[in-house]
Amino acid sequence: MIVRAQRLRGRSLRVGILTIFVLCFLACSLMAQEREPETPPPPPLPPPQARTNERLAIRAGRMFTGKADDLAKQQVILIEGSRIVQVGPAGDVQIPPGTDVLDLGNATVLPGLIDGHTHIFASGPDLDEQMLKEPLQYRTLEALVNVQRDLYVGFTTLRDLKTLGGMYGDVDLRNAINKGLVQGPRLQVSGRGFATTGGFRPKGYSRDIPLPSMLQTVDSPWEARKGVREQLMNGTDWIKFYAAYDFTFSPDGKIVNPPTFTLEEVQAFVDEAHDKGHKVSCHAFAGKGLHNCLAAGVDTIEHAVQLSDEDIQQFKTKGIYLIPTLYHYQLDREHDAKKYGGHTVAEVSEPNFRRAAAAGVKVAFGTGVGPFPHGTQVKEFEYMVKFGMTPAQVIRAATIVDAQMMGWEANIGSIERGKFADLVAVCGDPLADITELERVKFVMKGGQLLRNDLNAPAGKGCQK
């Protein structure tokens, strides 16, 4: 009996110690979770709602077509399958019997929004860590989440400008969306992108350690031509290159942005891509790199923060699109001020963008969204208005102008007969308050209803 009692006491002691250990472990885990909160999941994106009929009619209380700068009242959009077959005043459009009807009589309906400059493979603030530690397959899954977040807030089309070491994952994602394997916006992609030796690269590491490049490296006109051929062979839509990368500020606050590629190399990118029916995007803030892109006749210039009068004239003469990415610089204000002795890209971009917009440069909508959370790109609308454009001009930039820039104006960008039924809706009047576009409540892509909060409970819909 004595031995048995001792065994029972020993067993109880072991159980007690184990219990204490488990409780301590759980407590420590809970404390760790409090210290390191998990990233919230993306907004829910349910499967497209089934159509009971091939034909659908949408009654719109107000409508911005993308072709005019005002709102049409009491309109009907008639959809068959994925495309619009008729649109016009409610009294002129006959809704055939048996047609499904969506009543958006209290809302403003617009074309699906387009973001002409994204980086869907950028997730989080540390791109070096992401590229060096995350497998390509995992990064593709992150990119899928990012495009679905953008679709949820109303962007039915994206132009993505390089994968930041993600190789041709954007091509695969685009193809998977197009084949219906996964849900996402329409995509035009640029694959790996191009830089020179010493250009866009991880920094601060030992030179004795070979590191992967975030872009494809080329160092001559013939290498540029070969690189274009290779990327187009692998399925990219656009050619994207960095005509200038690192920058500093002069004492008087001007941006100093040395070129990377020579004019001959830039011309090789442009000629090779254009000869094969593809377009070219140039990254440059200022200086000779920007001038090389203008001289060579690229299709779009991203950022173009510092512009001379001659630069602005070349934009206009050659019909080159400017994608300003204004909100991006607002986020970087504090970082820039610390790094550059009080100077910021934001303070340079504002007056130069005002001049370009006032001069009639073709301004397209693009956010540069990537390292900062997806969904925040809607703030770009506010800054384009704040810095000189009217709300109508901004909405057109994010719809029909982007569609023209992408060569897709025959299919998207406006609410017209024959175009895809890519539609979004908000409650208020975005021409009076551009921030309405930050509160999209209805999303449709190709006639498939992806989101509809307009008639939802709990006050999510529009007020009568």
Side-chain angles (χ1 to χ4, degrees), residues 155-218:
F155 289 95
T156 55
T157 301
L158 306 177
R159 182 183 67 146
D160 197 62
L161 294 179
K162 78 180 181 300
T163 59
L164 293 159
M167 298 301 289
Y168 296 103
D170 56 352
V171 172
D172 296 330
L173 181 54
R174 178 201 64 199
N175 294 346
I177 291 171
N178 290 347
K179 292 178 180 179
L181 296 179
V182 294
Q183 196 178 141
R186 306 181 193 281
L187 291 178
Q188 288 189 3
V189 300
S190 62
R192 299 175 63 189
F194 289 101
T196 59
T197 296
F200 202 116
R201 69 196 188 283
K203 297 180 180 179
Y205 297 91
S206 169
R207 64 175 179 270
D208 301 319
I209 301 174
L211 294 172
S213 174
M214 290 190 182
L215 293 90
Q216 184 172 351
T217 300
V218 298

Side-chain angles (χ1 to χ4, degrees), residues 45 151-156 423-425 440-445 448-452:
L45 193 60
L151 181 58
Y152 185 84
V153 297
F155 289 95
T156 55
L423 306 168
V424 299
V440 166
K441 294 181 177 290
F442 175 98
V443 180
M444 174 177 282
K445 178 197 167 194
Q448 290 187 320
L449 183 55
L450 304 175
R451 178 184 178 188
N452 185 3

Side-chain angles (χ1 to χ4, degrees), residues 80-384:
E80 286 188 6
S82 62
R83 293 185 182 265
I84 298 168
V85 295
Q86 191 176 359
V87 58
D92 296 343
V93 178
Q94 296 296 319
I95 300 177
T99 301
D100 291 343
V101 178
L102 277 173
D103 186 1
L104 305 185
N106 295 318
T108 303
V109 179
L110 308 95
L113 302 175
I114 305 171
D115 190 337
H117 185 143
T118 67
H119 297 297
I120 60 176
F121 275 75
S123 298
D126 193 333
L127 297 178
D128 288 358
E129 179 173 323
Q130 186 186 7
M131 185 181 69
L132 294 171
K133 293 185 177 181
E134 293 181 357
L136 294 178
Q137 296 88 340
Y138 184 83
R139 294 191 65 192
T140 302
L141 293 174
E142 287 183 309
L144 172 60
V145 171
N146 287 336
V147 299
Q148 290 183 341
R149 285 175 171 172
D150 288 349
L151 181 58
Y152 185 84
V153 297
F155 289 95
T156 55
T157 301
L158 306 177
R159 182 183 67 146
D160 197 62
L161 294 179
K162 78 180 181 300
T163 59
L164 293 159
M167 298 301 289
Y168 296 103
D170 56 352
V171 172
D172 296 330
L173 181 54
R174 178 201 64 199
N175 294 346
I177 291 171
N178 290 347
K179 292 178 180 179
L181 296 179
V182 294
Q183 196 178 141
R186 306 181 193 281
L187 291 178
Q188 288 189 3
V189 300
S190 62
R192 299 175 63 189
F194 289 101
T196 59
T197 296
F200 202 116
R201 69 196 188 283
K203 297 180 180 179
Y205 297 91
S206 169
R207 64 175 179 270
D208 301 319
I209 301 174
L211 294 172
S213 174
M214 290 190 182
L215 293 90
Q216 184 172 351
T217 300
V218 298
D219 285 311
S220 74
W222 287 111
E223 284 187 5
R225 287 184 179 272
K226 181 180 178 180
V228 169
R229 295 166 186 170
E230 178 182 325
Q231 292 199 10
L232 295 181
M233 176 187 70
N234 282 293
T236 60
D237 301 300
W238 282 75
I239 294 302
K240 164 71 182 293
F241 68 93
Y242 277 70
Y245 179 51
D246 288 323
F247 66 92
T248 57
F249 284 86
S250 64
D252 62 355
K254 290 185 178 180
I255 290 179
V256 179
N257 191 204
T260 53
F261 293 105
T262 65
L263 175 59
E264 291 77 15
E265 290 166 334
V266 172
Q267 195 70 62
F269 282 129
V270 173
D271 290 347
E272 193 67 32
H274 284 180
D275 285 348
K276 290 176 171 54
H278 289 262
K279 295 185 177 183
V280 180
S281 162
C282 159
H283 169 110
F285 275 17
K288 190 173 181 179
L290 174 63
H291 301 155
N292 289 343
C293 289
L294 290 166
V298 300
D299 298 282
T300 71
I301 297 183
E302 322 303 315
H303 317 301
V305 175
Q306 188 168 275
L307 297 168
S308 67
D309 291 341
E310 183 181 352
D311 295 335
I312 290 174
Q313 187 57 47
Q314 283 207 63
F315 265 101
K316 295 178 62 179
T317 300
K318 297 189 176 183
I320 297 171
Y321 291 86
L322 166 64
I323 296 84
T325 64
L326 300 171
Y327 181 57
H328 191 91
Y329 314 131
Q330 303 300 319
L331 292 173
D332 288 342
R333 269 185 177 274
E334 184 176 348
H335 168 269
D336 286 354
K338 289 180 179 179
K339 184 175 181 179
Y340 302 114
H343 298 300
T344 69
V345 176
E347 69 187 18
V348 179
S349 71
E350 176 185 346
N352 283 275
F353 173 73
R354 287 183 183 275
R355 290 171 50 241
V361 170
K362 292 196 295 187
V363 177
F365 182 90
T367 62
V369 66
F372 52 94
H374 285 257
T376 59
Q377 72 262 45
V378 291
K379 293 287 185 182
E380 183 76 10
F381 294 114
E382 294 182 44
Y383 282 91
M384 292 177 79

